Every structure is written in structure tokens, then in C-alpha cells.
Amino acid sequence: MKPSKYNYTLPLPDGKMLLYNTASDGLLILQGELFGIFSDNFSSPEAIRGIHPAFYDKLLEKGFVVDDDTDEYAAVIDGLAPEIESKDRLHLTINPTLDCNFRCWYCYEDHLSGSFMSADVMEAVKRFIDRSVSEPELKRMVISFFGGEPMLYYGKIIKPLIRHSSDVCRSVGKNVDFYMTTNAWLFTPKVTDELDSMGIRIGLQIPFDGGGQVHDKTKHLKDGSGTYAKVRDNAIYAARSGFPVTVRCNYTHDNILSFMQVAEDFRDVASLPGFEVRFHRIWQEKEDAALREEYAAVKGKFKDHGYDVGDNAGRRGLCYADKRNSLVINYDGLIYKCTARNFEAKHSAGVLNPDGTVIYNDSNIKRLSCKYKSKSCRECLIFPICLQTCSQNVLEAGDPDGCVADNSPEAVERTVRARLRTFINGV
């Protein structure tokens, strides 16, 4: 037997030792006799069996000790395989348009004025949905509307696709969930009431860029007009109508403290089922100690007010783009896997045919084969919990053996501690 390569130890202030395994999520807090036994026999766990059999069994159960011939890297990958290959859920993202009525400085999309899904492409999408729900293994379809701003074509594209998807799924006894990433300027109470009357409640992700004045400097209309008050009111109305609403707080050094106002403005709906707040650091913004401290203070205020509040820190799991049964259909009928990049034809993964079939290209084949080849990943303590190893990042990496996350020892430490904070406080 040998100690797992994914073991992490952290001395605690009270003289105890925290033992965590990034592959198994196993966690133990050791003190006294057990602390000494583990410390003295860390590199030869077989000795622990003779000293304290019950303790050894617990180490084995939680993955801190593994067989000598275990390839732990391969074991992690094998553990992910069922989720990667699963056919019981289809995650379909639809871009009705790449146009937008807002102009946010950090947006990675090149907005295409006047772009929208044609009637022919929309019919092909419907046929794709028909084909998908007829698959016997499929139990649930998840349809997300993205863009651009999808609500620019609510009546022409979104509503017909919702009706069709709902009807066909109901006819064959399959489940369907709807989600939308929207700036919510056009998601008015009239739209909320109409969807509610159809028996449809879409889960909404609505981004904010700070409190009123700060938000309006970033999220404004083409003529410069502010949007905060109307978007806030639309979000509150949807939440009160029973729609799941995620307020996405896109924070930077400049706007982080202004989210205190957001915490006040949504207090009346903070405890409603399905209402949540999620913080995301703008990808162009560099993190430092000052930003982390201010963020902690703001997040603490949301918690004090009773919000379901969180972020991506400490989360583990697969990116949607890594799953075979996940795809993006762009307004022009091109297929993509990732929504966090420009939708340029040269980056597409395939094309949607008029009959609803999808033909994937060499780029998608390369994506499926390149993900777990990196030497850096094979040797990394946090590989099992590193969300940066998504296939999109690996596909774009210049060095196939390098670290796509560019993780320094300090970054590795922060990743582990963020994961630990999902179990225990004060780490």
C-alpha cells in the first residue's frame, strides 16, 4: 500500500492536523495519538495497520491510502467517464442572436447587429429536438437561451421553441427545463405573466455590475441610458412570480463595494425559493489580497441578510463543454461546445443539418482526444478539483504538457482551501 498522491495536510491553530484528499473528497481532522501515528508513518502506511487497525481502515476508506499498483490519475479520469458519456440528459444551448442592446466593456462577444436565427435554422433546431427526445436513454432535456441578448427575439424565436420543446417532451413523457442568460431589460412583467400562463418558468441568470450608478456606467443602452432600476424591478417581479432567479454579480476592484446596494435592493426576495446570488470576478481583472478582502466583506453582508450566496470557489465537477451530450446551436446553424468564446466559424465544432442531424468536424474530434494528455495535470495535486482543465482550455493551450491554469504553488493552495471551505469554516 502507498499514500495517495492527492493527500493534502494542513496544521490547524489548535494543534490538530487536517487531512484532505482531492480525489476522494475524504476529510479527517487528527489530534493526539492519531496525529503522531500518521506523522511518523506518512510514507509507509502499512505500518499504521499494525499500530492502529481502525485508523488504518478509515484512511483506506477515505482514499488516503491506495494499492501500490493504483494509477490514481487514471482512476480519477475513469470516475469522470460516466458523467462525460451520459446520455440521460441533453444540455442544449441556443443562441437566437449575437446582437445585444447593451454594450459592456468586458464582453468577449463580437456583437453582430441584425443577426438572428432564420426560419430554416429554427425548423432544423425543432427537428434536432424531435430526434433527441426520441432517444430511449434520454430522460431530461435542458434548454438554455444565450447570445447576444436572447430576449431581442423572444416572440419570434424563443417562444416558438419553448412551445415546441414543451409539447414534444410532454408527448413522449420526457422532462424539459428552460434557462436563460439575459440582461433582463426586455424580460418585463408582461413576458413573465405570459410564460407563467403557459406553465413555463424559466430559470434566469441576470448579471449586475454593481449598485445603481456603478452598474449604469457599464450596463447601459446604446444611447448611454442607465438600466439598473428597470432590470432590478424586472428581476424582482420574476422572482415573486416563482421564476428561479440568479443575480450574477460581476465584480472588479472598482465596483465590488457598490454591491452593498444590491444586497439592500433585493432583500424582500432574498429568501424566496430559487432566488440566489452568485459572484464572478470579471475575467480581465487580476485578483489580489485587497480584492479578496473587500469581496469577503461584501459576501458577508449578503449572508447576513439571508441570501443564498456563493461563487465558483471550491466547486468541483465537469464543465458542460466536456460532456458529449452538450452542445451550442448558434443562430446561423453552426455548432459549438463552449459559450465562453467568440462564435467564429473557425472555432465551430460542426454544423446542424436541415433534417436536425449534427455533423461534427475535426475540431470536436481533437477536443475529445486532448483533454487528459498533459504531464502537468498528471503530476498535479489539485487535478481532481481543478476546473481549469476543461477541454476548451486544453484545446487552446500552446504547450500540451503545460499547466493550462498556470497554477503557482500559491494558486494551488488557494484552490484546496476554497474546496475545504465548502466543508468547514475558517480554513
Side-chain angles (χ1 to χ4, degrees):
M1 305 298 287
K2 63 182 178 180
S4 170
K5 65 187 290 182
Y6 296 121
N7 287 344
Y8 170 87
T9 56
L10 176 67
L12 299 178
D14 56 4
K16 299 175 183 177
M17 177 190 282
L18 183 149
L19 181 59
Y20 172 64
N21 186 276
T22 59
S24 68
D25 256 352
L27 180 68
L28 288 174
I29 295 179
L30 309 180
Q31 60 181 337
E33 178 190 4
L34 295 184
F35 182 100
I37 292 173
F38 183 81
S39 298
D40 294 342
N41 300 279
F42 177 76
S43 59
S44 54
E46 279 284 359
I48 299 176
R49 175 186 289 173
I51 300 170
H52 199 311
F55 179 38
Y56 177 84
D57 289 344
K58 184 61 68 173
L59 293 172
L60 193 62
E61 172 193 332
K62 290 184 173 289
F64 297 114
V65 176
V66 299
D67 290 331
D68 286 327
D69 59 353
T70 298
D71 184 339
E72 293 185 86
Y73 183 72
V76 172
I77 296 171
D78 289 345
L80 295 172
E83 188 177 357
I84 293 173
E85 303 295 339
S86 174
K87 295 182 179 180
D88 65 354
R89 178 188 294 255
L90 171 67
H91 189 174
L92 170 62
T93 300
I94 300 172
N95 295 337
T97 178
L98 292 185
D99 200 357
C100 189
N101 50 343
F102 287 11
R103 291 295 183 268
C104 306
W105 65 267
Y106 55 78
C107 186
Y108 51 79
E109 300 293 352
D110 292 329
H111 297 306
L112 298 179
S113 180
S115 63
F116 63 90
M117 185 172 285
S118 68
D120 288 343
V121 173
M122 189 161 66
E123 286 304 310
V125 172
K126 291 179 180 179
R127 293 187 183 105
F128 172 80
I129 292 170
D130 294 345
R131 286 177 174 273
S132 298
V133 299
S134 68
E135 294 293 332
E137 297 114 315
L138 187 75
K139 297 181 176 63
R140 180 177 296 276
M141 178 175 286
V142 178
I143 298 179
S144 299
F145 295 100
F146 194 68
E149 171 48 46
M151 284 299 297
L152 289 174
Y153 293 93
Y154 165 72
K156 187 174 183 178
I157 298 172
I158 292 178
K159 190 164 66 171
L161 288 177
I162 286 176
R163 286 189 184 278
H164 180 84
S165 305
S166 298
D167 290 345
V168 71
C169 286
R170 188 181 302 113
S171 70
V172 294
K174 304 291 177 73
N175 297 307
V176 59
D177 299 319
F178 297 101
Y179 295 90
M180 183 187 300
T181 298
T182 173
N183 59 43
W185 178 259
L186 297 173
F187 206 96
T188 61
K190 180 180 178 180
V191 171
T192 296
D193 290 344
E194 180 177 39
L195 290 170
D196 200 21
S197 70
M198 295 165 54
I200 301 295
R201 290 182 175 176
I202 299 179
L204 302 173
Q205 178 177 239
I206 303 172
F208 284 80
D209 285 86
Q213 293 183 348
V214 176
H215 173 95
D216 287 346
K217 291 178 181 178
T218 297
K219 280 191 162 41
H220 51 76
L221 301 178
K222 294 177 182 179
D223 64 4
S225 302
T227 62
Y228 179 86
K230 181 177 177 178
V231 170
R232 175 201 61 202
D233 293 347
N234 287 348
I236 289 173
Y237 188 88
R240 286 178 173 159
S241 299
F243 284 55
V245 173
T246 297
V247 169
R248 174 175 172 137
C249 299
N250 292 328
Y251 70 92
T252 67
H253 286 80
D254 294 332
N255 72 12
I256 182 63
L257 294 179
S258 74
F259 281 104
M260 297 289 193
Q261 179 188 344
V262 177
E264 296 294 337
D265 285 352
F266 285 92
R267 286 186 71 173
D268 289 346
V269 296
S271 60
L272 290 179
F275 188 87
E276 61 181 18
V277 175
R278 293 293 179 263
F279 281 86
H280 294 260
R281 177 168 48 88
I282 296 300
W283 63 275
Q284 295 97 331
E285 194 80 347
K286 298 298 183 183
E287 187 180 40
D288 57 28
L291 182 59
R292 286 195 292 271
E293 183 177 344
E294 290 178 334
Y295 166 57
V298 173
K299 186 178 177 182
K301 178 164 185 173
F302 276 86
K303 287 184 175 180
D304 291 343
H305 287 343
Y307 286 89
D308 176 355
V309 58
D311 50 38
N312 281 333
R315 185 172 64 88
R316 70 183 296 162
L318 285 170
C319 172
Y320 59 88
D322 289 337
K323 302 175 184 180
R324 287 186 186 265
N325 223 17
S326 172
L327 73 162
V328 183
I329 301 180
N330 199 34
Y331 78 95
D332 55 5
L334 290 179
I335 300 297
Y336 297 83
K337 292 289 289 183
C338 178
T339 59
R341 298 293 188 275
N342 276 326
F343 293 102
E344 299 179 14
K346 63 182 180 181
H347 297 146
S348 70
V351 64
L352 177 67
N353 289 329
D355 64 356
T357 57
V358 172
I359 303 297
Y360 286 102
N361 59 27
D362 290 343
S363 173
N364 189 62
I365 295 170
K366 184 178 178 181
R367 172 193 294 273
L368 295 175
S369 65
C370 73
K371 181 170 167 60
Y372 298 123
K373 305 297 185 183
S374 168
K375 180 180 179 182
S376 293
C377 286
R378 177 173 286 277
E379 298 173 350
C380 183
L381 168 70
I382 64 169
F383 169 71
I385 59 173
C386 181
L387 297 179
Q388 299 304 312
T389 57
C390 77
S391 55
Q392 185 69 34
N393 285 340
V394 175
L395 191 66
E396 297 170 354
D399 180 3
D401 283 329
C403 174
V404 296
D406 196 22
N407 277 327
S408 64
E410 294 76 19
V412 168
E413 182 83 5
R414 285 197 299 271
T415 298
V416 176
R417 289 187 180 235
R419 181 61 187 163
L420 287 171
R421 282 194 289 272
T422 67
F423 304 112
I424 53 179
N425 294 321
V427 176

